[in-house]
């Protein structure tokens, strides 16, 4: 806010100004005020008869002590320490454990001049409400700290709140806070009762009155939340096929998709928007939906940035379906993230999708064929436009108006995940990791296999690997985009050619990338290049045969090691000495 005639902004009206240099007033004017040496005390020390009360600060050295004597703690860190100390004392005396979320603590620290921790309680009947609803009322709406019974871990009907009050007023302050909380909890109780009267699926029609992205209308696509909900079902059906779900899992996933957005029409979510997903799961559970369906609905809004547990298998698929539709829709209408601007949080969502696809084993996404990044977005594009093939390629890979393409955007998020993933524990640099991921032009690969590939590379002896990788890099530089054929037999091969051919045959076709197996190739490759002229102008047939031989070698190692950038890997090993 801007006050008086100045250009300075401040959050509240400025009533007085203190400016001291040692014991003298430093003469400045701000906010239409002249600086002085007097400051107002905590309003609790003032009375109606005396009115506003000021005290003089005699010296800058006395500033903090003068304020503390008048119940104002100027040091933020000391307010934090005081709050945590008082909460700890109340926990010990009352044998409960308080939940102190960091974001709530940071907010409360800045609300009070002289923080005092007090205990309040609410009627035990409200413990029948779902815990997530009660704690939301306590934390988000009242800025209270919920308390849990120490032995059972159950939510208690007691809570801690931080007040700005004198000891003589504590009883009234506690009663006032309890009265306000009771009114809030009665509202929450009413919302629950009303929501349970209507089957969750019957709230689907309300979604037609809610806008998802109005610009989708220009593309002749349903721009309402109902349209999004219908696409969610279509996407989940395709993901179910791609991941080879059994009949029951497929039914549960589709049912979860049908119900996923229905809680947006509930009273709970209307009053507490942060309860999306949780409210739907609660209602679905009370209305006797399968437990797997309820868990999937609850975990659809999980993200990499949160401390939530990883979702269940169906929850992961539902979450992927929801977020690929978000990203594809926004890209389709041209609202691409630029610089630091990302109003729809697409980077966060893309990172979560990459994380789920990459860590399918960790989240127990037991699938026969892990969906790739490109394939899941192809499913989303088809649900949006009922188109496929060339139109998808244009949408996915090409950039309009010099904006980043969807493929490039996802590739960048993927590299971020590889490097910062909390579960991979890789010691690699981003440049090293990028050597294992073919390119943004090819996002059709199994991410979990690449993770295994990188891990095995890090475990291998790098000094032993350098010679063999250097030899393969030499091959890759010769064999680029020429149309070559795989060599199937050894007829007509010369001595060095035959030795290389035999070494190629020893490359196992399994998917376990043991990098040290490449060591058996370095000697025959080097002997080949030392003794054979690959491009012989007088022997076109021999030149073709030798190039086919090198092509066969490169094809087999690329298949086994997922087509890494051999040049980058050699540079990486050389940089390590």
């Amino acid at each position: 806010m801007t006050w008086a005639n100045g250009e300075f902004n401040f959050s509240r009206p400025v009533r007085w100004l203190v400016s001291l240099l040692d014991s003298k007033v430093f003469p400045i004017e701000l906010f239409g005020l002249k600086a002085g040496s007097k400051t107002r005390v905590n309003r609790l020390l003032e009375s109606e008869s005396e009115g506003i009360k000021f005290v003089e600060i005699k010296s800058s050295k006395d500033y903090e002590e003068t304020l503390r004597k008048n119940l104002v703690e100027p040091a933020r860190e000391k307010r934090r320490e005081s709050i945590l100390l008082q909460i700890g004392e109340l926990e010990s005396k009352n044998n409960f454990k308080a939940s102190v979320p960091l974001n709530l603590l940071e907010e409360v620290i800045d609300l009070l001049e002289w923080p005092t921790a007090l205990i309040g309680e609410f009627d035990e009947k409200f413990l029948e409400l779902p815990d997530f609803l009660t704690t939301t009322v306590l934390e988000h709406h009242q800025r209270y700290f919920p308390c849990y019974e120490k032995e059972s871990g159950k939510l208690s009907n007691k809570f801690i709140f931080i007040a700005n009050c004198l000891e003589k007023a504590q009883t009234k302050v506690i009663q006032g806070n309890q009265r306000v909380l009771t009114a809030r909890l009665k509202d929450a109780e009413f919302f629950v009762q009303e929501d349970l009267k209507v089957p969750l699926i019957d709230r689907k029609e309300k979604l037609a009155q809610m806008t998802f992205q109005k610009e989708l209308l220009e593309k002749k696509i349903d721009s309402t939340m109902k349209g999004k909900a219908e696409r969610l079902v279509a996407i989940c059906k395709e993901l179910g096929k791609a991941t080879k779900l059994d009949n029951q899992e497929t039914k549960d996933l589709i049912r979860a998709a049908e119900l996923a957005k229905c809680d947006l029409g509930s009273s709970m979510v209307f009053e507490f928007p942060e309860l999306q997903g949780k409210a739907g799961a609660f209602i679905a559970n009370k209305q006797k939906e399968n437990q797997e369906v309820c868990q999937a609905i609850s975990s659809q809004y999980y993200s990499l940035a949160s401390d939530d547990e990883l979702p269940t298998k169906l929850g992961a698929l539902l979450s992927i379906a929801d977020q690929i539709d978000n990203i594809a829709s926004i890209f389709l209408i041209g609202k691409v993230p630029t610089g630091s601007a990302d109003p729809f949080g697409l980077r966060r969502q893309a990172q979560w999708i990459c994380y789920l696809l990459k860590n399918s084993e960790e989240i127990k996404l037991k699938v026969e064929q892990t969906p790739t990044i490109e394939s899941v977005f192809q499913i989303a594009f088809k649900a949006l436009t009922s188109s496929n093939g060339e139109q998808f390629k244009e949408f996915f890979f090409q950039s309009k108006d010099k904006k980043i393409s969807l493929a490039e955007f996802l590739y960048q998020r993927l590299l971020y995940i590889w490097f910062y993933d909390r579960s991979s524990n890789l010691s690699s640099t981003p440049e090293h990791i990028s050597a294992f991921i073919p390119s943004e032009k090819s996002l059709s690969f199994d991410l979990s296999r690449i993770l295994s590939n990188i891990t095995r590379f890090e475990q291998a002896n790098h000094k032993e690997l350098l010679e063999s990788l250097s030899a393969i890099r030499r091959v890759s530089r010769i064999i680029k985009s020429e149309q070559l054929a795989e060599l199937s037999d050894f007829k007509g091969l010369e001595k060095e050619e035959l030795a290389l051919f035999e070494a190629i045959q020893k490359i196992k076709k399994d998917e376990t990338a043991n990098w040290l197996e490449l060591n058996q190739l370095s000697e025959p490759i080097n002997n080949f290049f030392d003794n054979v002229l690959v491009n012989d102008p007088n022997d076109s047939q021999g030149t073709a045969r030798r190039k086919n031989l090198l092509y066969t070698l490169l094809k087999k190692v690329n298949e086994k090691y997922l087509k890494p950038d051999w040049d980058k890997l050699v540079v990486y090993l050389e940089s390590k000495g």
Side-chain angles (χ1 to χ4, degrees), residues 330-331 333-347 399-405 409 412-413:
I330 300 303
F331 266 79
I333 61 178
K335 293 190 175 182
V336 180
T338 56
S340 61
D342 186 13
F344 300 100
L346 299 189
R347 292 189 180 99
S399 177
K400 295 181 180 179
D401 303 323
K402 297 182 180 180
K403 290 180 179 178
I404 188 172
S405 71
F409 170 76
Q412 292 174 4
R413 296 303 97 203

Side-chain angles (χ1 to χ4, degrees), residues 478-494:
I478 293 174
I479 307 301
K480 294 190 180 294
S481 59
E482 294 185 58
Q483 295 295 320
L484 299 169
E486 192 171 350
L487 202 64
S488 58
D489 60 58
F490 55 87
K491 291 178 182 179
L493 297 182
E494 297 177 4

Side-chain angles (χ1 to χ4, degrees), residues 274-412:
E274 61 270 32
L275 294 184
Q276 294 175 35
K278 291 181 180 179
F282 169 76
I283 297 169
N285 183 54
K286 289 291 185 181
Q287 294 176 348
K288 308 301 181 184
E289 295 287 344
N290 284 356
Q291 193 61 34
E292 290 76 11
V293 172
C294 300
Q295 289 175 339
I297 295 171
S298 178
S299 61
Q300 65 180 295
Y301 295 105
Y302 285 4
S303 71
L304 194 64
S306 69
D307 294 326
D308 295 313
E309 296 178 1
L310 287 170
T312 61
K313 175 167 58 174
L314 300 188
L317 291 174
L318 182 60
S319 184
I320 289 170
D322 184 24
Q323 298 188 52
I324 59 174
D325 179 75
N326 290 343
I327 295 171
S329 298
I330 300 303
F331 266 79
L332 198 63
I333 61 178
K335 293 190 175 182
V336 180
T338 56
S340 61
D342 186 13
F344 300 100
L346 299 189
R347 292 189 180 99
R348 171 181 53 79
Q349 295 181 62
Q351 284 162 201
W352 180 238
I353 292 167
C354 293
Y355 180 80
L356 290 179
L357 292 177
K358 184 173 76 68
N359 294 295
S360 58
E361 290 182 5
E362 283 81 349
I363 62 172
K364 298 186 172 31
L365 193 66
K366 303 283 186 185
V367 296
E368 294 180 24
Q369 180 186 351
T370 304
T372 65
I373 297 173
E374 187 174 334
S375 67
V376 295
F377 276 91
Q378 192 163 13
I379 291 170
F381 181 77
K382 187 176 181 180
L384 270 165
T385 63
S386 301
S387 304
N388 217 328
E390 293 303 317
Q391 287 182 314
F392 170 71
K393 289 181 181 178
E394 181 181 351
F395 164 69
F396 193 71
F397 292 115
Q398 294 184 16
S399 177
K400 295 181 180 179
D401 303 323
K402 297 182 180 180
K403 290 180 179 178
I404 188 172
S405 71
L406 180 52
E408 291 168 326
F409 170 76
L410 294 167
Y411 183 71
Q412 292 174 4

Side-chain angles (χ1 to χ4, degrees), residues 154-366:
K154 293 181 178 179
L155 183 67
S156 167
N157 70 321
K158 293 183 172 56
F159 61 93
I160 293 175
F161 67 98
I162 312 301
N164 195 43
C165 69
L166 301 178
E167 187 173 352
K168 62 182 181 181
Q170 287 182 6
T171 300
K172 284 188 176 180
V173 170
I174 291 172
Q175 289 173 347
N177 279 268
Q178 289 179 165
R179 189 164 54 249
V180 172
L181 177 61
T182 297
R184 279 282 192 179
L185 291 175
K186 282 182 177 178
D187 287 343
E189 184 180 48
F190 173 76
F191 297 145
V192 169
Q193 291 170 351
E194 290 300 301
D195 287 340
L196 292 179
K197 290 177 182 177
V198 181
L200 190 57
I201 193 67
D202 288 355
R203 297 186 182 276
K204 184 177 180 180
E205 293 307 313
K206 277 192 174 183
L207 300 180
Q209 303 166 22
M210 303 177 190
T211 301
F212 170 56
Q213 283 298 325
K214 63 180 181 180
E215 291 87 348
L216 286 173
L217 275 176
E218 299 172 9
K219 304 285 183 179
K220 297 182 180 179
I221 297 170
D222 192 332
S223 62
T224 68
M225 285 304 302
K226 183 180 180 183
K228 176 176 177 57
E230 290 170 350
R231 292 194 300 274
L232 201 55
V233 173
I235 293 171
C236 281
K237 285 180 180 178
E238 294 301 318
L239 285 179
K241 294 176 186 176
T243 52
K244 311 293 185 185
L245 297 182
D246 62 37
N247 289 339
Q248 187 57 52
E249 287 176 324
T250 301
K251 288 179 182 178
D252 287 341
L253 178 60
I254 293 173
R255 183 60 175 172
E258 289 173 342
L259 298 174
K261 302 303 175 186
C262 291
D263 66 353
L264 298 181
S266 69
S267 300
M268 271 190 283
V269 172
F270 182 82
E271 183 69 18
F272 309 111
E274 61 270 32
L275 294 184
Q276 294 175 35
K278 291 181 180 179
F282 169 76
I283 297 169
N285 183 54
K286 289 291 185 181
Q287 294 176 348
K288 308 301 181 184
E289 295 287 344
N290 284 356
Q291 193 61 34
E292 290 76 11
V293 172
C294 300
Q295 289 175 339
I297 295 171
S298 178
S299 61
Q300 65 180 295
Y301 295 105
Y302 285 4
S303 71
L304 194 64
S306 69
D307 294 326
D308 295 313
E309 296 178 1
L310 287 170
T312 61
K313 175 167 58 174
L314 300 188
L317 291 174
L318 182 60
S319 184
I320 289 170
D322 184 24
Q323 298 188 52
I324 59 174
D325 179 75
N326 290 343
I327 295 171
S329 298
I330 300 303
F331 266 79
L332 198 63
I333 61 178
K335 293 190 175 182
V336 180
T338 56
S340 61
D342 186 13
F344 300 100
L346 299 189
R347 292 189 180 99
R348 171 181 53 79
Q349 295 181 62
Q351 284 162 201
W352 180 238
I353 292 167
C354 293
Y355 180 80
L356 290 179
L357 292 177
K358 184 173 76 68
N359 294 295
S360 58
E361 290 182 5
E362 283 81 349
I363 62 172
K364 298 186 172 31
L365 193 66
K366 303 283 186 185

Side-chain angles (χ1 to χ4, degrees), residues 471 474-475 478 524-534 550:
R474 194 173 179 183
V475 174
I478 293 174
I525 291 174
N526 290 331
N527 286 339
F528 176 83
F529 284 120
D530 290 344
N531 298 288
V532 175
L533 180 62
V534 177
L550 295 178

